[in-house]
Amino acid sequence: MKLGTLMVRELLHRKVNALAGILAMAAAAGACAGVVLLLRVFDAQTERLLASRRTASAKAWAIFQDEMRKDMLRLGFNLMILNREQNLSTPDEQTKTMPEEYGAKLAAAKLAEINHIVPFLQRKLWWPEKSRWITLVGTTGDAYIKAFGKQTPMVQAVAPGKAVPGYAIHKGLGLVPGQKIALGGWTFEVARGLEQRGFEEDEMIYIDLRTAQDMLKLPGKINGILAVNCVCVGPEALLTIRKRVEALLPGTRVIEHNSKLVTRAEVRGKAAKEADAELARQERLRTELRAGRVTAGTTLIPLVALAAAFVLGVLTWENVGRRRLEIGILRALGFTARRIQALFLAKAMAIGLVGAAAGYGAAVVAVKLWLATGEPWEMFVEPLLPALLLGGSLVLAAAASWIPAQLAAGVDPAMVLLQEGG
Amino acid sequence: MLRAESLCKTYGRGAKAVRALSEVSLSVDAGQFVLVRGASGCGKTTLLLTLGAMLAPDSGRVEVGGTDPYTLNDEARAGFRATRLGFVFQQFYLIPYLNVRENVACAAVKGTNGGGDGRVEELIARFGLEGRLEHRPAELSTGEKQRVALARALLNRPRLVLADEPTGNLDEANAQTVVKALKDYAREDGAAVLMVTHDPRWEAAADRIVCMEYGRVL
Ligand SMILES: Nc1ncnc2c1ncn2[C@@H]1O[C@H](COP(=O)(O)OP(=O)(O)OP(=O)(O)O)[C@@H](O)[C@H]1O
Ligand SMILES: [Mg+2]
């Protein structure tokens, strides 16, 4: 007689034992399938959520671009690069300094959005010879001009020994080109007078930077750098220009000076940046949540597998004990020990297979109808997971019933028949 | 057909040792129907299991059709039981979840003429079980059960049939049927049949009677 027939007849005969085994394996397979399917649903939800966040962020950036494009047609920006510790409430008293090389360093970086670089050393001081306050500015003129030759410099260089007074000064004192003036013990020749520009500049006297450094006893130092923009870059660059310059020149702070473009970009970019931050936050959150679920799943799966193996092992063991006489009879009739072992292994594996199939089916139906009504069936019905579950259940069942099956094979028919009252 | 020489078998050890067989020698020729008699506990079942290739004797030698089954490995010995031996027990020992046909056929072995050639149907007809093919043992009378067991024992045309009190649980008529069937099998198929019984009624049918007492043949 075929082992299969014998096995099926016995399975149907001792239904409770078989059902208990099937139930245990179904619970384990269902839990495993549930973990995997729920994770799949979770991933699909994550994908949808992040996709909508990505759209929102892209939309915010589009709005930003649009708004800034209009602004950038009309406006440029000036950046003032100062020592980080400079007190901004008294910009006239710029006593904090930075190395003069910073000008060259910034120029060498050739930032696309910067057009002119003007380092300066300036100090408000008392002019004893004329009894008035002035702002002395040492300059080299433009240290860098992006489109050299095409653009006129922002600030003209002043030759050593020469001075260029602001409008208020040369008008007020009646200074004319060629005239000598004494300033703090130094003598300068007036090169020319400046046009009227505005309040601050009209009170300045421009001289050569080196001379100013000597006068103020600050060799190799400057107070700051004026950097003026070029509108040949996208608006996103405005959002990071300050950070990039600060990173390039340690110890400095970059403020927008007499212009509003960078600040406006920063304000307008806020919504887009927030959308980006929200996207990143959601991404992080979902990743964390997923990791938690994976951890829980990978803890749960071995536990339920172990529990199912234990139950199946105990059930097979109980089945062997109950069938000792039967084993003895079959052995007397000529069944080999190996066939007896195969009989019990096959039974456990059949239970494993049926249980796994039932558990998988139940998990699919439960997850789909209960928790993921919106997801398509295709997400749940695919061959890999059931194949893995069925294969795993076969291995698990064989392992769990190995020892009981070995015991069954070892049953001595003579002892059984003697004990059963031959 | 069957030869046993100086079989000894002791269960347990020391103070609990029970000498179930001591120096038992026996031979049964083909075609012979031999009875084994003796009081309860004298070692009849032990003898049957030893002759039946299931219980190795401590010493002595068994030969069935020229083969000593205890020289075979476990697997070959199982095959030997399947093809050469038939067993009938007092408690029938049918498989509870198989129907009559399956119980008869379950011992069928390839290479003997047991399976597939109408042998099952022939035996079922011989023992009057045609109407009971689909019934389970629990749905059969004791007489029917023993007839199923007989059919199963004879399926592979064994050269040696060992029956352990096969009539012990049966009424007169059924017991008669069983004894007659065993005797007929010995006569017609030329097999050796050894039947254990307490019952003196069957002595007349036997070709020879072996009496046992305390593990010895008298
Ligand atoms: N597994 C065992 N361990 C120890 N002693 C045993 C074992 N099986 C049988 N015996 C003892 O061996 C002796 C022979 O037993 P056996 O069953 O062969 O007798 P029997 O003649 O068949 O008895 P019965 O007529 O009651 O069936 C008995 O004394 C019995 O108690
Ligand atoms: Mg007995």
Side-chain angles (χ1 to χ4, degrees):
Chain A
M1 165 168 276
K2 292 220 173 69
L3 278 187
T5 318
L6 206 59
M7 183 189 83
V8 170
R9 293 278 189 281
E10 199 273 340
L11 267 170
L12 296 175
H13 182 64
R14 298 194 176 96
K15 288 192 193 72
V16 176
N17 178 291
L19 269 178
I22 287 173
L23 228 63
M25 289 302 287
C32 296
V35 165
V36 173
L37 294 175
L38 285 176
L39 207 60
R40 225 176 262 172
V41 171
F42 181 83
D43 284 348
Q45 286 170 347
T46 300
E47 203 29 66
R48 275 200 298 277
L49 184 83
L50 294 184
S52 86
R53 292 275 166 223
R54 271 184 214 114
T55 312
S57 154
K59 214 178 266 174
W61 280 111
I63 292 172
F64 167 75
Q65 293 253 1
D66 198 46
E67 288 177 347
M68 286 309 293
R69 201 162 294 128
K70 288 173 211 153
D71 283 346
M72 289 170 76
L73 284 179
R74 298 183 286 113
L75 303 171
F77 67 83
N78 307 317
L79 296 180
M80 185 74 90
I81 300 158
L82 298 171
N83 187 304
R84 193 161 48 201
E85 283 158 21
Q86 179 65 48
N87 185 344
L88 295 179
S89 64
T90 54
D92 284 347
E93 294 166 25
Q94 291 181 338
T95 52
K96 302 283 181 197
T97 61
M98 65 185 78
E100 187 186 334
E101 307 89 75
Y102 271 22
K105 204 169 170 189
L106 184 60
K110 293 192 192 306
L111 297 177
E113 49 277 86
I114 290 179
N115 231 357
H116 298 269
I117 293 174
V118 184
F120 60 86
L121 177 65
Q122 102 182 25
R123 177 69 48 85
K124 187 173 179 181
L125 47 80
W126 180 249
W127 189 359
E129 289 87 346
K130 303 285 178 191
S131 299
R132 66 170 293 163
W133 289 97
I134 56 155
T135 300
L136 184 71
V137 180
T139 182
T140 57
D142 284 28
Y144 168 76
I145 298 178
K146 194 174 176 198
F148 191 78
K150 283 189 205 157
Q151 294 168 324
T152 47
M154 295 282 297
V155 177
Q156 297 280 348
V158 181
K162 307 267 179 180
V164 178
Y167 183 79
I169 294 172
H170 71 77
K171 258 289 179 264
L173 299 177
L175 301 176
V176 293
Q179 187 177 341
K180 304 270 183 200
I181 50 172
L183 176 55
W186 295 65
T187 305
F188 297 92
E189 182 188 326
V190 176
R192 58 196 161 88
L194 291 176
E195 300 284 296
Q196 187 166 17
R197 287 184 183 170
F199 195 73
E200 280 170 37
E201 279 207 83
D202 291 353
E203 295 290 351
M204 288 174 174
I205 296 180
Y206 287 88
I207 60 170
D208 164 53
L209 176 64
R210 192 78 53 230
T211 312
Q213 285 169 341
D214 290 344
M215 279 179 75
L216 299 174
K217 298 190 173 58
L218 289 169
K221 297 287 185 193
I222 53 175
N223 289 121
I225 303 169
L226 184 68
V228 178
N229 87 303
C230 127
V231 274
C232 51
V233 291
E236 287 89 353
L238 298 179
L239 298 177
T240 55
I241 178 69
R242 303 208 299 171
K243 281 229 169 62
R244 279 181 287 136
V245 171
E246 282 169 4
L248 197 64
L249 308 177
T252 62
R253 175 161 45 163
V254 178
I255 55 174
E256 196 170 17
H257 180 69
N258 287 343
S259 73
K260 290 206 164 63
L261 191 63
V262 170
T263 314
R264 195 172 292 194
E266 283 169 357
V267 170
R268 292 210 163 137
K270 217 171 155 192
K273 278 186 156 180
E274 270 165 13
D276 274 358
E278 178 59 15
L279 172 63
R281 200 181 68 83
Q282 286 292 350
E283 259 166 350
R284 206 172 47 243
L285 192 73
R286 297 298 282 188
T287 309
E288 270 167 26
L289 276 174
R290 188 179 199 280
R293 287 177 175 220
V294 168
T295 308
T298 46
T299 316
L300 179 73
I301 288 173
L303 280 181
V304 293
L306 216 65
F310 178 75
V311 170
L312 196 60
V314 168
L315 286 170
T316 306
W317 183 72
E318 188 266 359
N319 193 237
V320 170
R322 191 190 286 236
R323 293 170 72 185
R324 268 175 63 82
L325 176 59
E326 222 176 287
I327 296 167
I329 296 164
L330 291 173
R331 294 280 281 128
L333 295 178
F335 275 61
T336 61
R338 214 182 309 163
R339 286 187 85 194
I340 297 292
Q341 185 182 16
L343 190 62
F344 283 89
L345 280 179
K347 177 178 161 171
M349 286 163 87
I351 285 174
L353 214 57
V354 172
Y360 170 72
V364 165
V365 171
V367 171
K368 161 73 184 150
L369 296 184
W370 204 359
L371 298 165
T373 40
E375 310 291 347
W377 277 104
E378 293 79 60
M379 176 182 287
F380 303 99
V381 183
E382 46 75 51
L384 183 65
L385 178 60
L388 278 177
L389 281 176
L390 295 182
S393 73
L394 283 181
V395 173
L396 193 72
S401 59
W402 189 262
I403 290 173
Q406 203 69 34
L407 288 177
V411 166
D412 180 349
M415 285 306 125
V416 172
L417 295 173
L418 275 168
Q419 282 157 13
E420 295 294 327
Chain B
M1 177 54 56
L2 167 68
R3 296 172 60 79
E5 277 167 29
S6 320
L7 296 178
C8 292
K9 180 73 194 177
T10 303
Y11 295 113
R13 278 190 196 158
K16 286 172 77 180
V18 178
R19 198 161 172 82
L21 294 179
S22 81
E23 299 293 332
V24 172
S25 294
L26 186 75
S27 75
V28 182
D29 292 332
Q32 272 196 328
F33 177 55
V34 174
L35 287 194
V36 178
R37 280 194 54 192
S40 181
C42 74
K44 304 182 296 291
T45 299
T46 304
L47 177 63
L48 239 58
L49 293 174
T50 306
L51 300 176
M54 277 191 275
L55 187 63
D58 298 334
S59 65
R61 194 177 146 76
V62 177
E63 221 173 72
V64 179
T67 307
D68 178 350
Y70 297 107
T71 60
L72 305 174
N73 67 22
D74 192 69
E75 192 159 333
R77 194 134 45 83
F80 181 87
R81 286 196 294 275
T83 54
R84 307 284 190 84
L85 307 181
F87 292 93
V88 185
F89 305 97
Q90 183 176 1
Q91 286 92 344
F92 327 123
Y93 290 158
L94 301 178
I95 307 293
Y97 44 84
L98 298 181
N99 64 27
V100 167
R101 172 199 288 281
E102 291 163 343
N103 257 293
V104 174
C106 76
V109 169
K110 269 192 221 132
T112 71
N113 40 11
D117 63 346
R119 177 73 174 160
V120 174
E121 289 69 24
E122 176 200 329
L123 288 167
I124 280 171
R126 187 197 297 182
F127 292 111
L129 297 164
E130 299 96 325
R132 305 305 228 142
L133 287 180
E134 301 302 321
H135 289 75
R136 300 276 174 86
E139 299 161 330
L140 301 176
S141 72
T142 48
E144 285 165 339
K145 283 182 199 164
Q146 195 59 302
R147 279 182 273 147
V148 175
L150 262 175
R152 179 178 70 182
L154 304 184
L155 180 72
N156 291 323
R157 300 181 199 276
R159 306 319 301 144
L160 173 63
V161 175
L162 300 166
D164 196 354
E165 301 191 40
T167 60
N169 281 335
L170 301 182
D171 62 16
E172 174 79 25
N174 278 305
Q176 287 278 6
T177 310
V178 168
V179 172
K180 183 173 181 304
L182 288 172
K183 184 169 176 172
D184 287 351
Y185 184 68
R187 289 280 182 285
E188 289 160 19
D189 290 64
V193 177
L194 199 67
M195 178 173 123
V196 166
T197 183
H198 302 295
D199 197 331
R201 277 180 302 173
W202 315 121
E203 284 175 13
D207 295 317
R208 190 146 54 85
I209 296 159
V210 176
C211 284
M212 286 185 69
E213 210 176 85
Y214 304 118
R216 291 175 181 282
V217 172
L218 295 180

